[in-house]
Amino acid sequence: SRCSSHLPRPTACPPPAQRASQTMSIPFAKVRIVECGTQLAGRLTARLFADQGAEVVIVVNHDCRAVKEFNAETNAYLNRGKIKLDLPEGDGKSKSDMIKSADIVIVDGESAECQRSDKQILLRVCAALIGDQVYGYLPHDCDDDFLNGLVGFYTDMAQESFLDRKVIYTPLRLCSVYCGVTGAVACAAALVDRERSQLGREIQASRLAGGIAAIGALSLTIEGPSLPKYLISAPISYVRKGLDMKDFEVIRKEAVHNPLKQLWLEQRLVPLGAPYPCSDGRLFLPMATFNRGIARRLVDLLGIWSKVQELGIVDCTAYEAANDKYRFHNLALPLNFAWQTGCSLAELLEATFKQKTAAEWEALCCDHKIACATVLSFQEWFEDEETRKAKIVAQVEEQWQIGRSVWLETAKPYPPRLQAKEFQGADASAMLAELLRSKVAPCPVKAGGSAWDSGEALHPMKPLAGYTVIDFCNVLAGPACGRMMAELGATVYKVGPKLPDHAPVVMVTWQAEENIGKQSIMLDLKSEAGKKVVRQLLSKADIALANKHDAQVEAMGIGRSTLDSIVEGGGKGPKIIQLQVTARRGEEMQGVQAANWPGYDPALQGKTGIMERFGPQGSPTFHGVASCVDYLTGYTACFSGLTALYAREANGVVSERAGTSLACCATLVQCNMQGDSPVVRGPWARGRTALNRIYQVGQPKTPENADPEYWIYAQAGRNLCDEAKAFKGTREEFLEQLRKEGILAVPVHTCKQIAEISKTEA
């Protein structure tokens, strides 16, 4: 399928003086990045900076495998807004001079091209961290497919493993996309710190670590004698109270090969979080599985609450021990529903959703603050009128491309997006001379001291030390943003409710990871006492972080006008940055119906085509419930917040509102799907080609449903399928045999296995 359209050329750009004025209002307008690497992660890091005004100069030859593996549309997106200099072979001095002028230099692996000066930031994009004792053997330019196998993306991302699908290939470049975003975060933090320290840094961005950063929620285990039983979440599985396993086996076997039966089964296992057919034949996905308040609003809106009560379902908090007796029929814990309860509720929902079209249900539910989505393919999402109106997908001269992933209100309206400018021969030499006339060495904008007044020595691993973030987020994306800021040295105060609507799996299990490094306080934000404490906290803030829509932000007392007024007690007032993580928003809000609609990672997987890509035709399937989109959104939000912080420190920008959204990041994670998207899809996918794929090793007892420990990923000059299955030794012995032949191959891990390996090595 094709996801790009050619349009008439846009109207002429503003005159030079006006363009210069517009450019200087963009945060990184005075930052130069020289791109010496060819890996997707580094190119994406530079792409994110270019969207925020950085001058990005490409000085590397793109006639290589790492670039050619992507189609023209994807490469056009990655090069957008950059300057590409095709310098003559052997002209090392010109390239060296260009590198010396850069604020940030991006290289692959252990490249020695950049001898970093003390004010430069050097980003090394690696497969694994240099010197890693376990994975250091991986070439820095190795295919993402190897890394995806190692970190668990072929196993735990497969949500229907009980349907004989314990290992499924994914064509998403998850490790590189995550690494590209975290690399941008690290560089932005280093730029912020350079304004006060006058010093640059060398940064290693590991693609393997980028992948691991996406699986936290899938590798957690929560236990211990001090944790009350009613707060321990049941494992997400197909096992349900009252389910006869003999009967289930009959259903399961049919669902393996019948997509409609699979959909029927998923509706009964997760009735408040599975797609349902509507009157127009399209699938509608309600997402009320993790939030008691949303679940109640849904059944009330549908007019079925009385019938739901007749099924024995109650609506009570999961955070009181006395209510544990309702755990198998509590609206707050739908993943625990007994089998018959789930079946009966699914039948009610199935009949109700057939009464309207999917689009009608989506608008109605979202207007009532119920997260949901009409299930689309990526092509449908890419071409959707609302998607383009919001500039989640944006016009770039004659082409449609993925738009900006983050935005700052003070930078709007952004200048028109332009394709890369390529210069060859004499033109390249002339452009090089012009670039070197404008800047010959890296330099901070100010001479330090902009926000650093503690007198303490700066910490080399904590560039955000001295800054304070007040984190009002829940679930995963927003809290992941706050956690990353804490990891970078910021002081983060986590503000949470006393009695949350979200289930314990969200507020206890997931938050065990997301609150690392934070100081927490529980408040009643509706009370006057709670509001007073919030204002006191905000008087310390540099950033107020929330994953709320506009009305909620205002009601909580953290809207832009309120922040501007907080000057008592040392409050920074207009200098406080409002950082907002939303669900469906893009760069443009005006006239966009979905701008304030709610959402969760799974709902956006349905909306943006991820589910359609991974399920069998007729039964779209999640690609990991809490990793594919959520964490990426959190880290992208961190980049947005640091972009705003840099604009404040370097350019004096105040009263800033910065943001990103689940929708933008669900689109970004599919950046290699633009244009002629890969045909690899569905639950039986094994690899991009017949030779680059996952293989089953040996003859396990259940070959149609082999456990992950029987699988490897390899790229060889021959198909290894038959010899791998016939191999009599262990998987490790087969891998060693391939290594002796010079064939790169890796074991397929689960998320918990890679977490255990990482913990052991640490």
Side-chain angles (χ1 to χ4, degrees), residues 284 298 301-302 356-370 372 593 597:
F284 172 71
L298 176 64
L301 178 65
L302 300 182
K356 297 180 186 292
T357 67
E360 288 171 337
W361 281 122
E362 183 176 33
L364 181 62
C365 288
C366 284
D367 284 344
H368 284 79
K369 304 307 175 188
I370 298 166
C372 62
Q593 183 183 21
W597 281 2

PDB file of all heavy atoms in Angstrom, residues 284 298 301-302 356-370 372 593 597:
ATOM      1  N   PHE A 284     -15.083  -1.152  16.161  1.00  0.00           N
ATOM      2  CA  PHE A 284     -14.977  -0.087  17.159  1.00  0.00           C
ATOM      3  C   PHE A 284     -14.334  -0.666  18.410  1.00  0.00           C
ATOM      4  O   PHE A 284     -14.735  -1.726  18.895  1.00  0.00           O
ATOM      5  CB  PHE A 284     -16.359   0.471  17.490  1.00  0.00           C
ATOM      6  CG  PHE A 284     -16.360   1.428  18.651  1.00  0.00           C
ATOM      7  CD1 PHE A 284     -15.805   2.691  18.527  1.00  0.00           C
ATOM      8  CD2 PHE A 284     -16.910   1.063  19.879  1.00  0.00           C
ATOM      9  CE1 PHE A 284     -15.802   3.573  19.596  1.00  0.00           C
ATOM     10  CE2 PHE A 284     -16.912   1.941  20.950  1.00  0.00           C
ATOM     11  CZ  PHE A 284     -16.357   3.205  20.811  1.00  0.00           C
ATOM     12  N   LEU A 298     -18.985   4.296  30.341  1.00  0.00           N
ATOM     13  CA  LEU A 298     -19.330   3.562  29.124  1.00  0.00           C
ATOM     14  C   LEU A 298     -20.656   2.828  29.271  1.00  0.00           C
ATOM     15  O   LEU A 298     -21.550   2.972  28.420  1.00  0.00           O
ATOM     16  CB  LEU A 298     -18.217   2.570  28.772  1.00  0.00           C
ATOM     17  CG  LEU A 298     -18.498   1.673  27.559  1.00  0.00           C
ATOM     18  CD1 LEU A 298     -18.618   2.506  26.288  1.00  0.00           C
ATOM     19  CD2 LEU A 298     -17.401   0.614  27.401  1.00  0.00           C
ATOM     20  N   LEU A 301     -23.501   5.313  29.414  1.00  0.00           N
ATOM     21  CA  LEU A 301     -23.776   5.913  28.109  1.00  0.00           C
ATOM     22  C   LEU A 301     -24.528   4.945  27.206  1.00  0.00           C
ATOM     23  O   LEU A 301     -25.448   5.342  26.475  1.00  0.00           O
ATOM     24  CB  LEU A 301     -22.458   6.329  27.445  1.00  0.00           C
ATOM     25  CG  LEU A 301     -22.571   6.932  26.039  1.00  0.00           C
ATOM     26  CD1 LEU A 301     -23.317   8.264  26.079  1.00  0.00           C
ATOM     27  CD2 LEU A 301     -21.189   7.117  25.423  1.00  0.00           C
ATOM     28  N   LEU A 302     -24.155   3.675  27.264  1.00  0.00           N
ATOM     29  CA  LEU A 302     -24.809   2.666  26.430  1.00  0.00           C
ATOM     30  C   LEU A 302     -26.186   2.281  26.954  1.00  0.00           C
ATOM     31  O   LEU A 302     -26.931   1.563  26.276  1.00  0.00           O
ATOM     32  CB  LEU A 302     -23.931   1.414  26.334  1.00  0.00           C
ATOM     33  CG  LEU A 302     -22.530   1.595  25.736  1.00  0.00           C
ATOM     34  CD1 LEU A 302     -21.807   0.257  25.661  1.00  0.00           C
ATOM     35  CD2 LEU A 302     -22.594   2.235  24.364  1.00  0.00           C
ATOM     36  N   LYS A 356     -25.008   1.590  15.835  1.00  0.00           N
ATOM     37  CA  LYS A 356     -24.476   2.803  15.212  1.00  0.00           C
ATOM     38  C   LYS A 356     -23.221   2.460  14.422  1.00  0.00           C
ATOM     39  O   LYS A 356     -22.672   1.359  14.547  1.00  0.00           O
ATOM     40  CB  LYS A 356     -24.122   3.861  16.275  1.00  0.00           C
ATOM     41  CG  LYS A 356     -25.275   4.387  17.113  1.00  0.00           C
ATOM     42  CD  LYS A 356     -24.768   5.428  18.116  1.00  0.00           C
ATOM     43  CE  LYS A 356     -25.873   5.870  19.070  1.00  0.00           C
ATOM     44  NZ  LYS A 356     -26.919   6.643  18.368  1.00  0.00           N
ATOM     45  N   THR A 357     -22.756   3.426  13.628  1.00  0.00           N
ATOM     46  CA  THR A 357     -21.489   3.236  12.920  1.00  0.00           C
ATOM     47  C   THR A 357     -20.331   3.403  13.897  1.00  0.00           C
ATOM     48  O   THR A 357     -20.476   4.003  14.973  1.00  0.00           O
ATOM     49  CB  THR A 357     -21.327   4.254  11.782  1.00  0.00           C
ATOM     50  OG1 THR A 357     -21.186   5.565  12.349  1.00  0.00           O
ATOM     51  CG2 THR A 357     -22.518   4.224  10.836  1.00  0.00           C
ATOM     52  N   ALA A 358     -19.170   2.914  13.508  1.00  0.00           N
ATOM     53  CA  ALA A 358     -17.988   3.040  14.366  1.00  0.00           C
ATOM     54  C   ALA A 358     -17.636   4.505  14.599  1.00  0.00           C
ATOM     55  O   ALA A 358     -17.285   4.904  15.721  1.00  0.00           O
ATOM     56  CB  ALA A 358     -16.810   2.301  13.732  1.00  0.00           C
ATOM     57  N   ALA A 359     -17.736   5.326  13.548  1.00  0.00           N
ATOM     58  CA  ALA A 359     -17.415   6.750  13.695  1.00  0.00           C
ATOM     59  C   ALA A 359     -18.381   7.436  14.650  1.00  0.00           C
ATOM     60  O   ALA A 359     -17.989   8.311  15.437  1.00  0.00           O
ATOM     61  CB  ALA A 359     -17.436   7.433  12.329  1.00  0.00           C
ATOM     62  N   GLU A 360     -19.660   7.054  14.593  1.00  0.00           N
ATOM     63  CA  GLU A 360     -20.648   7.641  15.506  1.00  0.00           C
ATOM     64  C   GLU A 360     -20.342   7.259  16.950  1.00  0.00           C
ATOM     65  O   GLU A 360     -20.417   8.097  17.860  1.00  0.00           O
ATOM     66  CB  GLU A 360     -22.051   7.181  15.113  1.00  0.00           C
ATOM     67  CG  GLU A 360     -22.565   7.818  13.824  1.00  0.00           C
ATOM     68  CD  GLU A 360     -23.863   7.194  13.335  1.00  0.00           C
ATOM     69  OE1 GLU A 360     -24.158   6.026  13.694  1.00  0.00           O
ATOM     70  OE2 GLU A 360     -24.585   7.867  12.580  1.00  0.00           O
ATOM     71  N   TRP A 361     -19.995   5.994  17.169  1.00  0.00           N
ATOM     72  CA  TRP A 361     -19.649   5.570  18.528  1.00  0.00           C
ATOM     73  C   TRP A 361     -18.391   6.288  19.019  1.00  0.00           C
ATOM     74  O   TRP A 361     -18.304   6.700  20.177  1.00  0.00           O
ATOM     75  CB  TRP A 361     -19.439   4.060  18.584  1.00  0.00           C
ATOM     76  CG  TRP A 361     -20.695   3.248  18.642  1.00  0.00           C
ATOM     77  CD1 TRP A 361     -21.097   2.289  17.770  1.00  0.00           C
ATOM     78  CD2 TRP A 361     -21.716   3.330  19.645  1.00  0.00           C
ATOM     79  NE1 TRP A 361     -22.309   1.761  18.152  1.00  0.00           N
ATOM     80  CE2 TRP A 361     -22.710   2.384  19.305  1.00  0.00           C
ATOM     81  CE3 TRP A 361     -21.899   4.111  20.783  1.00  0.00           C
ATOM     82  CZ2 TRP A 361     -23.861   2.199  20.075  1.00  0.00           C
ATOM     83  CZ3 TRP A 361     -23.046   3.930  21.553  1.00  0.00           C
ATOM     84  CH2 TRP A 361     -24.011   2.985  21.194  1.00  0.00           C
ATOM     85  N   GLU A 362     -17.422   6.442  18.144  1.00  0.00           N
ATOM     86  CA  GLU A 362     -16.171   7.086  18.546  1.00  0.00           C
ATOM     87  C   GLU A 362     -16.421   8.530  18.987  1.00  0.00           C
ATOM     88  O   GLU A 362     -15.936   8.961  20.046  1.00  0.00           O
ATOM     89  CB  GLU A 362     -15.165   7.053  17.398  1.00  0.00           C
ATOM     90  CG  GLU A 362     -13.810   7.648  17.759  1.00  0.00           C
ATOM     91  CD  GLU A 362     -12.807   7.514  16.628  1.00  0.00           C
ATOM     92  OE1 GLU A 362     -13.213   7.567  15.450  1.00  0.00           O
ATOM     93  OE2 GLU A 362     -11.609   7.362  16.929  1.00  0.00           O
ATOM     94  N   ALA A 363     -17.166   9.277  18.198  1.00  0.00           N
ATOM     95  CA  ALA A 363     -17.445  10.673  18.546  1.00  0.00           C
ATOM     96  C   ALA A 363     -18.260  10.761  19.831  1.00  0.00           C
ATOM     97  O   ALA A 363     -17.972  11.586  20.715  1.00  0.00           O
ATOM     98  CB  ALA A 363     -18.184  11.358  17.396  1.00  0.00           C
ATOM     99  N   LEU A 364     -19.267   9.905  19.963  1.00  0.00           N
ATOM    100  CA  LEU A 364     -20.132   9.938  21.143  1.00  0.00           C
ATOM    101  C   LEU A 364     -19.349   9.580  22.404  1.00  0.00           C
ATOM    102  O   LEU A 364     -19.433  10.277  23.428  1.00  0.00           O
ATOM    103  CB  LEU A 364     -21.299   8.964  20.949  1.00  0.00           C
ATOM    104  CG  LEU A 364     -22.328   8.887  22.087  1.00  0.00           C
ATOM    105  CD1 LEU A 364     -23.007  10.240  22.286  1.00  0.00           C
ATOM    106  CD2 LEU A 364     -23.373   7.800  21.791  1.00  0.00           C
ATOM    107  N   CYS A 365     -18.580   8.509  22.334  1.00  0.00           N
ATOM    108  CA  CYS A 365     -17.829   8.068  23.518  1.00  0.00           C
ATOM    109  C   CYS A 365     -16.743   9.073  23.892  1.00  0.00           C
ATOM    110  O   CYS A 365     -16.566   9.400  25.074  1.00  0.00           O
ATOM    111  CB  CYS A 365     -17.217   6.694  23.270  1.00  0.00           C
ATOM    112  SG  CYS A 365     -18.414   5.337  23.257  1.00  0.00           S
ATOM    113  N   CYS A 366     -16.014   9.571  22.907  1.00  0.00           N
ATOM    114  CA  CYS A 366     -14.936  10.514  23.216  1.00  0.00           C
ATOM    115  C   CYS A 366     -15.485  11.816  23.792  1.00  0.00           C
ATOM    116  O   CYS A 366     -14.868  12.422  24.676  1.00  0.00           O
ATOM    117  CB  CYS A 366     -14.095  10.780  21.975  1.00  0.00           C
ATOM    118  SG  CYS A 366     -12.961   9.430  21.571  1.00  0.00           S
ATOM    119  N   ASP A 367     -16.651  12.245  23.316  1.00  0.00           N
ATOM    120  CA  ASP A 367     -17.263  13.445  23.880  1.00  0.00           C
ATOM    121  C   ASP A 367     -17.645  13.239  25.345  1.00  0.00           C
ATOM    122  O   ASP A 367     -17.757  14.205  26.106  1.00  0.00           O
ATOM    123  CB  ASP A 367     -18.496  13.842  23.070  1.00  0.00           C
ATOM    124  CG  ASP A 367     -18.126  14.505  21.750  1.00  0.00           C
ATOM    125  OD1 ASP A 367     -16.958  14.925  21.606  1.00  0.00           O
ATOM    126  OD2 ASP A 367     -18.993  14.591  20.852  1.00  0.00           O
ATOM    127  N   HIS A 368     -17.837  11.972  25.741  1.00  0.00           N
ATOM    128  CA  HIS A 368     -18.128  11.642  27.138  1.00  0.00           C
ATOM    129  C   HIS A 368     -16.866  11.181  27.879  1.00  0.00           C
ATOM    130  O   HIS A 368     -16.954  10.549  28.931  1.00  0.00           O
ATOM    131  CB  HIS A 368     -19.211  10.558  27.210  1.00  0.00           C
ATOM    132  CG  HIS A 368     -20.593  11.064  26.922  1.00  0.00           C
ATOM    133  ND1 HIS A 368     -21.049  11.307  25.639  1.00  0.00           N
ATOM    134  CD2 HIS A 368     -21.618  11.398  27.755  1.00  0.00           C
ATOM    135  CE1 HIS A 368     -22.294  11.750  25.690  1.00  0.00           C
ATOM    136  NE2 HIS A 368     -22.663  11.823  26.959  1.00  0.00           N
ATOM    137  N   LYS A 369     -15.699  11.505  27.309  1.00  0.00           N
ATOM    138  CA  LYS A 369     -14.398  11.211  27.925  1.00  0.00           C
ATOM    139  C   LYS A 369     -14.191   9.716  28.152  1.00  0.00           C
ATOM    140  O   LYS A 369     -13.659   9.287  29.180  1.00  0.00           O
ATOM    141  CB  LYS A 369     -14.225  11.990  29.240  1.00  0.00           C
ATOM    142  CG  LYS A 369     -14.381  13.495  29.082  1.00  0.00           C
ATOM    143  CD  LYS A 369     -13.455  14.038  27.988  1.00  0.00           C
ATOM    144  CE  LYS A 369     -13.676  15.527  27.736  1.00  0.00           C
ATOM    145  NZ  LYS A 369     -12.913  16.007  26.547  1.00  0.00           N
ATOM    146  N   ILE A 370     -14.606   8.935  27.164  1.00  0.00           N
ATOM    147  CA  ILE A 370     -14.394   7.488  27.182  1.00  0.00           C
ATOM    148  C   ILE A 370     -13.376   7.165  26.091  1.00  0.00           C
ATOM    149  O   ILE A 370     -13.627   7.409  24.908  1.00  0.00           O
ATOM    150  CB  ILE A 370     -15.708   6.726  26.925  1.00  0.00           C
ATOM    151  CG1 ILE A 370     -16.725   7.042  28.029  1.00  0.00           C
ATOM    152  CG2 ILE A 370     -15.454   5.222  26.836  1.00  0.00           C
ATOM    153  CD1 ILE A 370     -18.143   6.610  27.689  1.00  0.00           C
ATOM    154  N   CYS A 372     -11.418   5.392  23.259  1.00  0.00           N
ATOM    155  CA  CYS A 372     -11.904   4.428  22.276  1.00  0.00           C
ATOM    156  C   CYS A 372     -11.289   4.770  20.923  1.00  0.00           C
ATOM    157  O   CYS A 372     -10.560   5.758  20.790  1.00  0.00           O
ATOM    158  CB  CYS A 372     -13.427   4.473  22.181  1.00  0.00           C
ATOM    159  SG  CYS A 372     -14.050   6.088  21.638  1.00  0.00           S
ATOM    160  N   GLN A 593     -11.453  18.086  15.764  1.00  0.00           N
ATOM    161  CA  GLN A 593     -12.440  17.538  16.692  1.00  0.00           C
ATOM    162  C   GLN A 593     -11.799  16.708  17.802  1.00  0.00           C
ATOM    163  O   GLN A 593     -12.216  16.755  18.958  1.00  0.00           O
ATOM    164  CB  GLN A 593     -13.445  16.672  15.915  1.00  0.00           C
ATOM    165  CG  GLN A 593     -14.575  16.104  16.769  1.00  0.00           C
ATOM    166  CD  GLN A 593     -15.496  15.192  15.967  1.00  0.00           C
ATOM    167  OE1 GLN A 593     -15.101  14.675  14.925  1.00  0.00           O
ATOM    168  NE2 GLN A 593     -16.717  15.001  16.444  1.00  0.00           N
ATOM    169  N   TRP A 597      -9.794  14.738  22.839  1.00  0.00           N
ATOM    170  CA  TRP A 597     -10.337  13.408  23.096  1.00  0.00           C
ATOM    171  C   TRP A 597      -9.353  12.590  23.932  1.00  0.00           C
ATOM    172  O   TRP A 597      -8.137  12.776  23.836  1.00  0.00           O
ATOM    173  CB  TRP A 597     -10.622  12.695  21.783  1.00  0.00           C
ATOM    174  CG  TRP A 597     -11.903  13.148  21.127  1.00  0.00           C
ATOM    175  CD1 TRP A 597     -12.762  14.111  21.574  1.00  0.00           C
ATOM    176  CD2 TRP A 597     -12.456  12.650  19.907  1.00  0.00           C
ATOM    177  NE1 TRP A 597     -13.824  14.240  20.709  1.00  0.00           N
ATOM    178  CE2 TRP A 597     -13.663  13.354  19.675  1.00  0.00           C
ATOM    179  CE3 TRP A 597     -12.058  11.687  18.990  1.00  0.00           C
ATOM    180  CZ2 TRP A 597     -14.469  13.116  18.569  1.00  0.00           C
ATOM    181  CZ3 TRP A 597     -12.860  11.445  17.875  1.00  0.00           C
ATOM    182  CH2 TRP A 597     -14.056  12.149  17.671  1.00  0.00           C
TER     183      TRP A 597
END
